[in-house]
Amino acid sequence: MAGRKKLVIEESWCKGCGICAAFCPKQVLEIQKEKVSVIHPEQCIACGFCELRCPDYAIYLVNVEE
Amino acid sequence: MASDLVHLYMRIDHLPQMWCPGCGNGVIMRDVAVAIQELIEDPELDFNREDFVIVSGIGCSSRAAGYLDFNSIHTTHGRAIAFATGIKFANPKLHVVVLTGDGDCSAIGGNHLIHAARRNMGLTVIAFNNDIYGMTGGQYSPTTPNGDKATTAPYGNVDRPFDIANLATGAGASFAARGDIYHARETIDIIKQAILHKGFSLVDVYSVCPTYYGRKNKKGDAVEMLKWQKEHLVPTARYYSMPESERADKKLIGILSYNDYPEYTDEYAKVIESCRKKDKK
Ligand SMILES: Cc1ncc(C[n+]2csc(CCOP(=O)(O)OP(=O)(O)O)c2C)c(N)n1
């Protein structure tokens, strides 16, 4: 995962709609058993598109302490 | 665990929200929260959290007023704008933001919408427009496209639809805009502009209802419906740089009409002021 931000998933809030995975520009995410999971964390560019369009607030970026 | 935005501006004990998987309402509610957060945090502006009031009517979308952690009121079906008008009148310095559905604001509440627009009441109306009555099970609404199916239009809708932003403009709104789910960042900026606008502002946000509208009309799931938005709804700059021929099946995301009409509570305050002066004489 790039730089100072990392993805966090609140699995219990995810309804598996797939919006985050479908519009991730780097194919970082996949829906498995109706929940989102991070399959390629190293490719994440922290663009935040997943967080922007997640209707359930189940995926978001946080700043990582250096 | 939840993001800072959710902790700050949503009633976290009410989450997760109860909308269907892929429902656009959650995205619009987040857009509203981000827009307000960015206005409050902008050092050049003077917005306070306590000055925001969120007003909603009845419908799936109207539940947003319960999730957002502001002064908020969940009113009756179609009457959100009427309640909001009262709140604005009682205390004109408040930023009154109405969250409403296409049915709530253009069917049962259509009259309140056009008159608030005509009067230029200083409200911001965000229409969560999913083309259907979601809460009651998928009946057609005034924005259901002609020919589309709904539980009350099993052979296709005979009506012609309203374009809510054009309706508001026609009724005299001083600010009317369109947003959507796919272009969430653009929609946040449009909502900010709408809140900054002094007079009546309306943002018609194209939502998605995969459960009723999508399924009945074979539009696919939420992802398919967002792909449609990506291809057919175009932010302002790109829209105007497109050749005319390409615009035929596209709609603009952005501000559609803008005017500097005097705001209603300002005009009313002038009447009060002039009467006071006469009384003193
Ligand atoms: C006076 C009144 N009439 C009818 C209803 C039933 N009713 C509840 S929600 C709704 C329509 C909701 O559609 P919309 O405003 O588009 O919101 P959505 O649920 O799609 O977000 C209706 C007709 C009601 N609650 N009150």
Side-chain angles (χ1 to χ4, degrees):
Chain A
M1 264 178 248
R4 309 163 25 257
K5 291 189 171 182
K6 78 167 187 40
L7 283 177
V8 179
I9 289 173
E10 175 52 61
E11 208 186 79
S12 67
W13 286 11
C14 176
K15 295 177 190 151
C17 70
I19 293 174
C20 57
F23 298 103
C24 170
K26 296 287 176 185
Q27 289 81 46
V28 172
L29 307 167
E30 197 174 88
I31 303 296
Q32 296 171 345
K33 298 195 185 121
E34 302 192 351
K35 297 283 178 187
V36 62
S37 64
V38 182
I39 52 162
H40 292 300
E42 72 289 349
Q43 301 206 27
C44 177
I45 53 167
C47 67
F49 285 168
C50 50
E51 179 175 359
L52 189 67
R53 302 198 189 96
C54 173
D56 296 292
Y57 324 123
I59 186 165
Y60 56 98
L61 285 166
V62 291
N63 291 320
V64 206
E65 310 274 320
E66 299 289 317
Chain B
M1 277 193 299
S3 68
D4 290 348
L5 176 85
V6 170
H7 277 289
L8 259 174
Y9 293 109
M10 296 186 194
R11 296 185 173 116
I12 202 159
D13 52 325
H14 289 45
L15 296 175
Q17 39 85 340
M18 47 64 76
W19 293 311
C20 301
C23 170
N25 290 344
V27 181
I28 308 177
M29 182 167 98
R30 184 179 182 283
D31 291 350
V32 172
V34 175
I36 294 177
Q37 178 184 36
E38 291 183 2
L39 290 171
I40 291 173
E41 290 179 358
D42 188 333
E44 315 247 298
L45 301 171
D46 187 23
F47 280 93
N48 297 307
R49 181 183 188 145
E50 308 73 60
D51 293 339
F52 280 92
V53 183
I54 308 283
V55 185
S56 73
I58 295 292
C60 298
S61 43
S62 287
R63 299 194 63 125
Y67 296 128
L68 288 171
D69 193 6
F70 291 92
N71 297 309
S72 59
I73 172 168
H74 191 175
T75 72
T76 54
H77 193 33
R79 313 298 169 216
I81 292 174
F83 280 87
T85 298
I87 293 165
K88 183 75 184 173
F89 240 126
N91 188 352
K93 89 172 204 318
L94 298 175
H95 308 294
V96 184
V97 180
V98 176
L99 308 182
T100 176
D102 41 299
D104 200 57
C105 77
S106 76
I108 188 168
N111 222 30
H112 299 296
L113 173 71
I114 58 176
H115 293 291
R118 176 178 64 79
R119 290 164 154 174
N120 202 27
M121 280 304 306
L123 312 173
T124 300
V125 177
I126 313 291
F128 290 48
N129 184 354
N130 60 1
D131 294 328
I132 205 105
Y133 289 176
M135 178 166 268
T136 45
Q139 295 81 1
Y140 67 85
S141 87
T143 62
T144 307
N146 178 258
D148 278 1
K149 294 197 169 110
T151 47
T152 44
Y155 307 108
N157 182 22
V158 178
D159 300 15
R160 287 186 308 137
F162 269 149
D163 176 321
I164 297 178
N166 283 345
L167 171 67
T169 303
S174 54
F175 180 111
R178 188 182 295 125
D180 69 359
I181 303 300
Y182 180 79
H183 300 93
R185 185 59 244 182
E186 289 84 348
T187 301
I188 291 166
D189 290 330
I190 293 164
I191 293 171
K192 284 169 75 177
Q193 292 298 317
I195 295 171
L196 282 164
H197 179 70
K198 185 152 179 55
F200 182 87
S201 56
L202 175 127
V203 188
D204 181 13
V205 186
Y206 285 15
S207 189
V208 294
C209 172
T211 301
Y212 287 115
Y213 178 75
R215 198 182 290 161
K216 275 243 173 303
N217 290 292
K218 301 195 169 48
K219 303 265 178 187
D221 59 7
V223 169
E224 290 306 310
M225 294 176 86
L226 258 71
K227 283 186 183 154
W228 184 92
Q229 293 197 338
K230 182 183 179 184
E231 281 154 24
H232 295 87
L233 304 176
V234 188
T236 314
R238 192 151 63 80
Y239 185 86
Y240 286 111
S241 63
M242 277 177 154
E244 198 110 5
S245 57
E246 271 180 44
R247 286 189 212 153
D249 66 339
K250 311 252 187 323
K251 277 197 165 184
L252 182 147
I253 294 298
I255 297 167
L256 304 172
S257 68
Y258 179 87
N259 260 292
D260 218 3
Y261 305 133
E263 195 273 327
Y264 196 83
T265 58
D266 274 359
E267 294 306 293
Y268 206 83
K270 285 181 197 163
V271 174
I272 295 171
E273 193 54 32
S274 75
C275 292
R276 279 200 181 127
K277 273 184 193 146
K278 270 186 214 144
D279 273 356
K280 275 186 191 146
K281 274 180 198 161

